[in-house]
Amino acid sequence: MNTRRSVSSAAATAVLVLASTAVAGGTAWAADRPVVPCADGAVKLPGENAVEGAPAHTGTVSLQVGGDAAPTVAGDVATYRLRITESNRTGAGYRHVTVVPVLFTQLGVMNTGNTKVTWVHGGTETELPTRMGCDPSIWGASGALDLALADGQTATVDLKVTTSTEVARKVKELSVSAFGAADGDRSLQSNQITLPGVAPAAEPTAMPTKKPTEPTAMPTKKPTEPTATPTKAATASATPTPAAATPAPVAASAELASTGGGSSTGLLAAAAALLIAAGGAVLHTLRRRAR
């Protein structure tokens, strides 16, 4: 499982609350800290009780919390999956090691009415009783998460936290840690991880941005088609130009007729000149003979 670990002000607040809370009739945790704060003595966990004649231990049981990087969403339900790992390296075994998961969000978001903590084991699920802490936190106060832990042994507890998707969208960060007790040793405390809430659905906002782009691209193609058709009509208007040249043969025939008439007039003038010259020659000959 992927985890994001951080120590936040929420963790500091939880520690301060645990250190300063003393409940009348409740079981003390390290002299004056109850295992479940504000439980008014109603919660008794097996690991809180000391074992008479128990072997000596070196150190304490190690608790490690891990979880998925983000919740999964199925319709109206958001699910966080968590795992608490217990390791005993103290040199002796324990009869009872009891762990208590703690969920912390901003005030007024998660509570025991809208959030469930379920223990997942052996193919079954067991819903755990929960109590609100003095701070805005949920404590899984249950003797179900109790087991014997031999020296050198490591055990895991898988948990499922479910809430509505609407609540999960209000969660800025979900901080998860665990406390515990082992045969009277009430000082067990884990690391803290911080998980995100459910991001607002992005699909409805992304889909409208695609639809307007399609109509804007189509009108750009349609105006180009009418502009091409007038160019063809303009080429058709050039076809009447040969008809304008048809009067040319009429002008050519008229010029040819004018040229023919001018040549016959020249021949008649030449013939008249020859006749006049011949008559002059005859007249000259007659005058010489008369002398």
Side-chain angles (χ1 to χ4, degrees):
M1 294 185 178
N2 298 323
T3 61
R4 296 189 303 162
R5 302 174 183 174
S6 65
V7 178
S8 64
S9 60
T13 303
V15 171
L16 289 174
V17 169
L18 290 171
S20 60
T21 304
V23 181
T27 302
W29 187 345
D32 61 354
R33 290 181 296 172
V35 173
V36 181
C38 303
D40 59 22
V43 177
K44 299 290 185 181
L45 302 180
E48 296 179 46
N49 302 318
V51 175
E52 187 176 352
H57 296 276
T58 302
T60 59
V61 173
S62 170
L63 300 182
Q64 189 75 20
V65 175
D68 290 346
T72 58
V73 178
D76 295 332
V77 178
T79 303
Y80 291 87
R81 297 187 180 277
L82 308 169
R83 171 169 288 182
I84 302 175
T85 303
E86 311 170 17
S87 299
N88 180 12
R89 301 287 186 272
T90 65
Y94 288 92
R95 296 182 185 179
H96 298 281
V97 176
T98 310
V99 294
V100 178
V102 181
L103 313 176
F104 189 98
T105 61
Q106 66 267 32
L107 183 63
V109 178
M110 281 186 171
N111 55 57
T112 55
N114 60 25
T115 303
K116 294 181 180 181
V117 180
T118 305
W119 174 34
V120 182
H121 60 98
T124 62
E125 297 184 358
T126 303
E127 184 178 344
L128 303 179
T130 55
R131 297 184 68 92
M132 292 299 296
C134 297
D135 51 359
S137 58
I138 300 174
W139 294 66
S142 173
L145 301 184
D146 179 78
L147 50 84
L149 196 64
D151 181 42
Q153 184 180 1
T154 298
T156 59
V157 176
D158 293 325
L159 301 175
K160 185 174 70 173
V161 177
T162 56
T163 187
S164 68
T165 304
E166 181 182 358
V167 169
R169 286 198 175 109
K170 296 177 182 178
V171 173
K172 295 179 181 178
E173 288 182 341
L174 173 62
S175 299
V176 182
S177 59
F179 294 92
D183 289 348
D185 179 7
R186 306 180 183 94
S187 64
L188 307 187
Q189 183 174 344
S190 75
N191 62 307
Q192 178 177 280
I193 64 172
T194 302
L195 306 176
V198 175
E203 294 181 357
T205 57
M207 291 177 65
T209 58
K210 295 180 180 179
K211 290 182 179 179
T213 56
E214 296 176 358
T216 54
M218 293 176 64
T220 57
K221 296 181 180 179
K222 290 182 178 179
T224 56
E225 295 176 358
T227 54
T229 52
T231 57
K232 296 180 180 179
T235 55
S237 62
T239 54
T241 53
T246 52
V250 178
S253 61
E255 184 181 355
L256 182 59
S258 175
T259 305
S263 61
S264 59
T265 305
L267 292 175
L268 292 175
L274 290 174
L275 290 174
I276 293 171
V282 172
L283 181 59
H284 179 71
T285 302
L286 291 175
R287 284 181 179 179
R288 289 182 64 185
R289 289 178 178 177
R291 292 177 182 176

